[in-house]
Amino acid sequence: MAPQPHPRAGDGRGLRTTLSLGGIYDKVLDRWLTFTVSGVRIPGGTLVVFGALCFLVWLFFRTRMGITIAAARSSTRFARAAGISDERTRVQATVLSTVLAAIGIVVFSQSYGFVQLYTAPLLMAFPAIACILIGGASVTRATIGHVLVGTFLFQSILTVALPVTSQVIQGDISETARLIIQNGMILYALTRIGRT
Amino acid sequence: MARGLLRHAVPILFAGLCLFGIVVAKITPPFLMSEMLVRMSRNSVLVLSLLIPILAGLGLNFGIVIGAMAGQIGAILIVHWGIPGIGGFALAWAIATPIAILLGIATGSLFNRAKGREMVSGLIAGFFANGLYQLLFLFAVGSIIPFHSTSMVLPQGYGLRNTVDLSTIQYAIDGLIPLRFQMQGVEIRVPIVSYVIIVAFCLATLWFFRTRLGQQFRAMGQDPHIAAIAGIAVERNRIVATVLSTVLAAWGQLLFLQNIGTLNTYSSHEQVGMFAIAALLVSGATVSRATVGQALLGTVLFHTLFVVSPLAGKALAGDAQIGEYFRVFVAYAVITVALVLHAWQFTRAAHEARKSAR
Amino acid sequence: MNILFGMPVIWETGGYEGEVLLGGAPARFHSPAEAMDAGIGMVHQEFMLLPGFRVAENIKLNREPTRPNPASRVLGPKLESLDVPRMRADARRALNQVGLGIDEWIAVAGLPVGHMQFIEIAREVDKANLKLLIFDEPTAVLTETDAEKLLAIMRCLAAKGHAILFITHRLDEVLAVADRITVLRDGEVVGTPDPKATTVVRIAELMVGRPAAVTAQRRFFAPATEPVLGIENLNVDMPGERVEDVTLAVRRGEILGIGGLAGHGKLGIANGIMGLYPGSGRVIFDKALLPLNEPRLALERGLAFVSEDRRGVGLLPEESIELNIALSALEAHGRFLHPFPIQPLRVVDHRAMRAHALEMIRALDIRTTGPSQQVRRLSGGNQQKVCVARAMTLEPRLLFVSEPTRGIDVGAKQRVLEILSALNRDHDVTLVVTSSELAELRAISDRVVIVCRGRIAAVLPPDAPDADFGLAMAGESAKAA
């Protein structure tokens, strides 16, 4: 039905599960502005793009629309009294979140070098949610600071988990550790809703 | 008449889909019958385990995955100890029960802390428990916990293999009283004792609805606040409901495994919750209302679709995989529609209640 | 009554002091179950019936007669089977006692409210150990005939030896059935008149009490000005504060007070006009029709509202003072924004917002460490000033203020009332003040409207006699006149 895919994407019937980005946009951001600090390569371009997005999100929460959305989310009843449409802000917020997620996966894949199809996108949400919760955010309140701290901590735990646990248990435990930590964090957040 | 049709739109739609699939794939009655007899005996108890939490107002218990894990722990242990047959099955059942009770208490307490979000909490709790389960069987077994049956352990010396052979307890229940007959050249096996157990669980559930505790659950399901005013220990009963559901799920999973004969250590339990819930919803049951009859009807419809859709996919598009995708799509679509309908009815009911109060 | 019945709300909100004596012995109930065991029954104001349950199931809820069965002998009495014939027989007997002839095996949903009330009473009567029965405003939802039937049943129950605690604001009913009367005002006992020697007027006076010496500098009002807000046949569906068929005119430049007992709809009027709860009827503001249920339109047209629910509706407690003050005007009028071609993406002008907040803090004397302090950290009185500041920032021509002094200390009360008077006097804002504190309404208003059962019972000058206010609040004025 659809036009034939490019040969590297599939064998003519459906796309492969994992598409290599080698030679397309593999590491375009990572390589741009890359530099080395005492032997460690720092992907400068990716960091610059991330920084720019942080700034844009920060700025957005200072625009009229951003304030409206934030107010509507922290108290629906307050928002209604202030003449804000609850439904509209809900849709706006979801659209923006989805757009950012789309950008996020493009940035992720250029660094990772592959695009994963099918079930892979399903596994993206949970680690992200766990990150922001570990950063100290709650279901009703989150800042860019929470994002930065949380991502750093969560990824550190997973990176450190491997060498530490291998003292006791052999094998790569980080995937299991990720499951436990991320779902544990989400469960904890679920039990905290509506409490102060 | 038209209203009745509309009310039963969901099961009628699915019955239609099944019929359509049967016709295009030219499935013969004996084949369908033999498949369905097996599948019903495997899955009915798991679907039944959902009823009590619905009665008590907890919604669909996605946490039955945790019960299924308890069942698997029992199964793994008796294989390790090498206890075969009905004795092994009974022991697995006896081991799984206390584990399921403990896990049920934990899940129930979690639900009490996350009131109004039981369903998503149950789902996540299942994922969380899956992590712990992996930690136990993929890493702890053989390294921290001594486990010497080498046939079950991975070559590296720790962690269980992906499959555990349950042939020692296969058909332990199904084959107790064997009944086989030929029908148009197809051998049909009827697992009589399994069906006796399923009927017993159905009757027990019906009986439970008519006990004092069942009446308390029903009152809680309608309005926890009023139930509390009437002196019902709502929080405690919510835990009891979760425990009952978890235990029943553990038993159901064991019944399922003794029929299949192999255990996929890390994946057998994963889809239990989704498929049981989808099966229940296919019958037209809702998040707040489900009967024993609906549980059975839903199991029949959903698993007919299971049998039929790959064959129909092959007959229509020349590819069984398409039918397979369709089936997964149906399972999730049914759950999504049911949850959206529930949210919609909930807000509408609140609105109606306000109106009628004037 | 919530204390007597061990309702969870008491323990969740801080418990109580003092002692309850039951049959001479001190009693302290931590849950409704304990209270019920001690022989206390309650007929709740909002119905405590399960709509999906049958009448008999509701009457016997959690007290079902049961029969033991094999499983229950092993696993405990909770698993005994329900004895349906006995449930029905018990329910029938109780229903007959309260004179309700309906089938005991039909569902409660869809029954008329009057029936539900009697089912509640039947449930309490059915309890074998019942000593004290509490009625919380039982006649509020009943028709005249049903109410009389209820009073007859109460007398009959009392004659059988059940003590009855009858909580109501309908004074004639109290006089008709009570053996003893206690009048409460703001949580304090203000009198225990003898029902045989007192009158409706005397009780009404006790309810209202003497107006306190709150005297803001009130400019007496020339009553001839034109109406700025015309309300015709307003109905508002606000839970617990329902408004029914209210017609009222607010004159330009006046301070109109709205008073009445809790739950009678005085709060619903402002909430309905501002579009916060579904309403119907005609509202004319400034000679043009104001569509209801559109909060944004109401704000844009020059109305503003200081809500009675400060924490829920009035403030964003986690946010700064300056944002709270600026937010409504930012939303409704697009103030405090830097210019930018795409309207929704205009960035907030922090400097303007800060300057305005500082001005308001000075003008209203908000005690704070600075405009960026979280509103949550302010005292109740200062939070209320922030609410007023936000409404003022909208530069409204008509301002609704609900419960301006609820939950704030005495000094701040006086200050808030002065601010409101000044706003009316110096900025020419028409004010509609709704308050449970009649004294303060009488101190600052030009006219006081008393609402009872969702309707306007009377429009009184602030210096009318106490008894007139009390009678109006009890809905007696029509009969007395």
Side-chain angles (χ1 to χ4, degrees):
Chain A
M1 282 174 262
Q4 280 282 324
H6 191 275
R8 66 187 293 160
D11 54 5
R13 282 194 57 130
L15 297 177
R16 294 181 208 280
T17 337
T18 306
L19 309 181
S20 166
L21 290 173
I24 304 176
Y25 65 89
D26 178 27
K27 305 231 188 298
V28 276
L29 293 178
D30 284 16
R31 257 177 283 154
W32 176 56
L33 295 181
T34 192
F35 58 96
T36 313
V37 178
S38 59
V40 183
R41 273 169 49 89
I42 309 282
T46 307
L47 289 179
V48 167
V49 169
F50 175 65
L53 286 171
C54 281
F55 174 73
L56 284 179
V57 171
W58 176 84
L59 194 66
F60 175 75
F61 280 109
R62 271 146 195 80
T63 63
R64 182 173 182 179
M65 193 176 174
I67 288 180
T68 307
I69 288 175
R73 289 282 61 78
S74 49
S75 164
T76 20
R77 290 168 61 216
F78 175 93
R80 190 164 161 70
I84 298 169
S85 157
D86 182 33
E87 269 114 40
R88 239 183 80 176
T89 54
R90 238 170 233 269
V91 173
Q92 287 171 344
T94 313
V95 166
L96 287 169
S97 167
T98 312
V99 167
L100 275 178
I103 297 173
I105 206 81
V106 171
V107 172
F108 178 90
S109 62
Q110 64 81 27
S111 173
Y112 188 58
F114 299 96
V115 173
Q116 293 170 293
L117 298 181
Y118 309 113
T119 56
L122 290 177
L123 303 176
M124 283 295 157
F126 279 42
I129 292 169
C131 275
I132 202 167
L133 291 173
I134 289 173
S138 69
V139 179
T140 48
R141 193 169 177 81
T143 65
I144 292 173
H146 294 148
V147 172
L148 295 173
V149 173
T151 312
F152 179 76
L153 284 178
F154 189 47
Q155 297 303 329
S156 306
I157 294 169
L158 297 185
T159 317
V160 172
L162 184 54
V164 170
T165 48
S166 63
Q167 305 288 320
V168 193
I169 303 169
Q170 301 104 313
D172 183 0
I173 206 167
S174 61
E175 186 57 16
T176 305
R178 188 179 62 76
L179 262 184
I180 296 174
I181 295 171
Q182 89 187 21
N183 292 307
M185 281 310 296
I186 296 172
L187 272 187
Y188 177 73
L190 279 169
T191 61
R192 303 304 301 174
I193 298 175
R195 298 176 194 212
T196 43
Chain B
M1 178 66 194
R3 276 189 79 158
L5 271 181
L6 200 67
R7 212 175 53 199
H8 301 294
V10 180
I12 289 171
L13 178 73
F14 278 93
L17 269 178
C18 290
L19 266 179
F20 173 76
I22 290 170
V23 172
V24 296
K26 300 195 184 64
I27 295 169
T28 60
F31 171 75
L32 187 65
M33 198 173 149
S34 75
E35 280 287 320
M36 285 314 295
L37 277 172
V38 171
R39 284 170 176 275
M40 281 296 284
S41 75
R42 276 182 204 162
N43 292 290
S44 298
V45 176
L46 285 169
V47 181
L48 282 175
S49 74
L50 294 169
L51 294 182
I52 286 173
I54 291 177
L55 182 79
L58 289 155
L60 301 163
N61 185 10
F62 284 87
I64 60 169
V65 177
I66 297 171
M69 288 180 209
Q72 287 173 192
I73 294 175
I76 289 168
L77 282 179
I78 55 129
V79 172
H80 175 53
W81 293 329
I83 304 167
I86 179 79
F89 184 82
L91 184 63
W93 206 325
I95 294 168
T97 307
I99 298 175
I101 290 175
L102 286 178
L103 293 176
I105 291 172
T107 318
S109 314
L110 172 78
F111 288 168
N112 278 343
R113 283 165 183 275
K115 281 210 189 82
R117 295 175 294 277
E118 290 88 358
M119 288 193 266
V120 62
S121 301
L123 188 65
I124 307 282
F127 294 151
F128 178 69
N130 194 27
L132 294 178
Y133 178 92
Q134 276 187 19
L135 193 66
L136 176 64
F137 286 117
L138 198 53
F139 297 103
V141 160
S143 57
I144 298 171
I145 305 168
F147 207 85
H148 300 300
S149 88
T150 41
S151 64
M152 289 171 73
V153 176
L154 289 165
Q156 59 199 5
Y158 64 90
L160 286 190
R161 285 176 192 276
N162 276 334
T163 54
V164 172
D165 181 14
L166 295 180
S167 55
T168 51
I169 59 161
Q170 191 171 24
Y171 303 132
I173 299 291
D174 290 353
L176 268 187
I177 304 175
L179 174 70
R180 294 170 190 200
F181 58 90
Q182 297 277 323
M183 194 175 173
Q184 298 172 13
V186 178
E187 189 189 62
I188 293 175
R189 296 164 158 209
V190 185
I192 290 186
V193 179
S194 298
Y195 276 102
V196 169
I197 290 176
I198 290 167
V199 169
F201 278 137
C202 287
L203 291 178
T205 309
L206 285 173
W207 165 81
F208 179 79
F209 285 2
R210 283 171 184 70
T211 61
R212 178 125 189 238
L213 193 61
Q215 187 81 348
Q216 289 188 350
F217 280 16
R218 205 153 72 87
M220 283 157 50
Q222 290 217 358
D223 190 326
H225 178 60
I226 294 180
I229 299 297
I232 295 172
V234 174
E235 298 231 329
R236 197 176 154 274
N237 279 357
R238 283 161 59 96
I239 295 180
V240 172
T242 317
V243 167
L244 287 173
S245 172
T246 311
V247 169
L248 210 53
W251 293 349
Q253 181 73 355
L254 278 170
L255 208 59
F256 178 91
L257 292 175
Q258 65 84 32
N259 179 278
I260 298 263
T262 50
L263 165 66
N264 288 319
T265 319
Y266 305 110
S267 60
S268 275
H269 54 276
E270 280 188 331
Q271 297 292 358
V272 162
M274 285 293 174
F275 284 166
I277 285 167
L280 183 64
L281 294 175
V282 160
S283 69
T286 64
V287 173
S288 53
R289 211 187 123 71
T291 63
V292 172
Q294 281 172 329
L296 295 178
L297 173 70
T299 316
V300 170
L301 286 177
F302 189 68
H303 286 280
T304 308
L305 208 62
F306 244 60
V307 175
V308 166
S309 47
L311 297 171
K314 197 165 186 184
L316 284 178
D319 188 353
Q321 200 61 33
I322 288 185
E324 201 74 10
Y325 288 144
F326 176 72
R327 201 188 63 197
V328 172
F329 165 74
V330 163
Y332 285 109
V334 161
I335 295 177
T336 311
V337 169
L339 293 180
V340 170
L341 266 181
H342 174 67
W344 180 68
Q345 279 167 347
F346 186 78
T347 47
R348 210 184 51 162
H351 186 71
E352 293 287 312
R354 282 240 305 279
K355 258 192 166 161
S356 69
R358 47 180 350 166
Chain C
M1 80 201 175
N2 282 338
I3 292 175
L4 280 179
F5 202 58
M7 294 284 269
V9 60
I10 296 293
W11 301 106
E12 280 158 13
T13 52
Y16 66 95
E17 289 169 10
E19 212 172 29
V20 175
L21 295 175
L22 187 71
R28 206 170 168 84
F29 305 122
H30 293 86
S31 71
E34 287 177 26
M36 274 184 269
D37 287 343
I40 294 179
M42 180 149 172
V43 177
H44 300 267
Q45 189 172 14
E46 69 275 34
F47 293 123
M48 291 293 175
L49 295 174
L50 294 167
F53 270 37
R54 297 167 200 283
V55 172
E57 287 177 314
N58 263 301
I59 290 177
K60 301 299 289 185
L61 182 59
N62 206 26
R63 298 179 300 107
E64 295 90 354
T66 53
R67 275 178 287 110
N69 57 44
S72 73
R73 291 203 177 89
V74 184
L75 298 167
K78 273 198 162 183
L79 288 176
E80 289 182 356
S81 313
L82 298 181
D83 186 346
V84 172
R86 256 186 65 202
M87 266 171 81
R88 294 186 61 162
D90 285 1
R92 185 72 265 153
R93 186 153 15 89
L95 286 172
N96 287 342
Q97 254 184 309
V98 298
L100 193 62
I102 56 168
D103 183 0
E104 72 278 6
W105 207 240
I106 56 173
V108 164
L111 287 178
V113 265
H115 283 21
M116 294 201 198
Q117 184 82 61
F118 287 104
I119 294 169
E120 290 240 327
I121 299 166
R123 184 188 62 212
E124 300 309 319
V125 167
D126 184 58
K127 292 175 183 168
N129 69 341
L130 184 70
K131 289 185 199 128
L132 170 66
L133 185 52
I134 305 169
F135 284 86
D136 178 18
E137 299 272 6
T139 51
V141 293
L142 296 185
T143 61
E144 202 93 339
T145 27
D146 278 343
E148 271 165 34
K149 221 166 101 188
L150 177 82
L151 296 182
I153 289 165
M154 283 167 68
R155 266 186 231 107
C156 176
L157 290 174
K160 281 184 190 157
H162 302 306
I164 290 179
L165 186 61
F166 180 30
I167 300 165
T168 186
H169 66 272
R170 292 196 176 175
L171 306 181
D172 50 349
E173 288 171 0
V174 174
L175 286 178
V177 295
D179 298 314
R180 290 191 301 135
I181 298 175
T182 299
V183 181
L184 293 176
R185 186 177 68 231
D186 298 333
E188 281 177 38
V189 176
V190 290
T192 50
D194 179 0
K196 291 186 193 69
T198 193
T199 61
V200 171
V201 175
R202 175 72 197 116
I203 299 175
E205 277 172 2
L206 277 174
M207 277 168 61
V208 173
R210 299 232 55 84
V214 185
T215 41
Q217 292 305 309
R218 188 161 52 82
R219 165 197 59 166
F220 274 93
F221 186 72
T225 49
E226 70 210 279
V228 64
L229 181 74
I231 305 167
E232 290 167 31
N233 310 102
L234 179 72
N235 287 287
V236 181
D237 186 15
M238 176 174 174
E241 287 283 343
R242 194 155 282 130
V243 177
E244 281 173 29
D245 200 23
V246 161
T247 299
L248 182 66
V250 183
R251 297 171 190 151
R252 189 179 299 282
E254 76 172 334
I255 300 183
L256 180 72
I258 301 180
L261 294 170
H264 281 253
K266 65 175 183 294
L267 293 171
I269 296 176
N271 276 295
I273 293 172
M274 293 306 290
L276 299 189
Y277 287 93
S280 62
R282 252 165 74 85
V283 174
I284 293 163
F285 179 59
D286 237 5
K287 303 193 182 74
L289 194 68
L290 177 78
L292 290 171
N293 310 319
E294 297 278 359
R296 189 171 199 109
L297 273 181
L299 292 174
E300 284 172 1
R301 288 279 299 278
L303 291 165
F305 180 38
V306 176
S307 170
E308 68 283 355
D309 182 1
R310 224 160 31 223
R311 283 167 182 278
V313 176
L315 294 169
L316 289 175
E318 301 289 323
E319 301 293 346
S320 63
I321 294 175
E322 51 190 355
L323 186 65
N324 267 286
I325 291 177
L327 204 104
S328 289
L330 189 152
E331 278 303 325
H333 306 318
R335 277 184 64 187
F336 307 113
L337 293 170
H338 284 300
F340 189 74
I342 308 165
Q343 236 267 349
L345 293 183
R346 286 189 182 169
V347 176
V348 168
D349 182 351
H350 263 280
R351 198 168 300 156
M353 208 163 89
R354 164 86 32 119
H356 178 76
L358 286 170
E359 194 186 311
M360 280 294 171
I361 288 170
R362 203 178 47 246
L364 301 188
D365 187 24
I366 301 172
R367 305 287 163 82
T368 167
T369 57
S372 55
Q373 198 182 10
Q374 275 190 342
V375 165
R376 190 162 57 88
R377 306 198 176 277
L378 296 179
S379 69
N382 283 311
Q383 287 184 351
Q384 186 66 296
K385 288 178 197 165
V386 172
C387 290
V388 174
R390 198 175 73 242
M392 282 169 70
T393 308
L394 282 165
E395 294 168 358
R397 277 172 300 155
L398 191 150
L399 175 61
F400 290 100
V401 185
S402 291
E403 302 288 7
T405 59
R406 178 190 280 177
I408 67 183
D409 63 72
V410 182
K413 269 184 192 179
Q414 184 69 30
R415 185 78 193 106
V416 167
L417 292 178
E418 276 164 18
I419 290 169
L420 291 176
S421 296
L423 192 62
N424 171 259
R425 191 177 56 233
D426 306 335
H427 296 265
D428 207 23
V429 179
T430 311
L431 276 181
V432 177
V433 180
T434 310
S435 175
S436 309
E437 300 208 18
L438 194 57
E440 79 185 31
L441 282 183
R442 291 170 77 179
I444 69 163
S445 307
D446 298 303
R447 294 187 297 155
V448 179
V449 173
I450 298 295
V451 176
C452 180
R453 276 168 240 165
R455 296 165 193 276
I456 291 181
V459 182
L460 299 164
D463 45 6
D466 292 354
D468 287 5
F469 281 102
L471 290 171
M473 283 162 99
E476 304 279 349
S477 59
K479 284 176 215 164

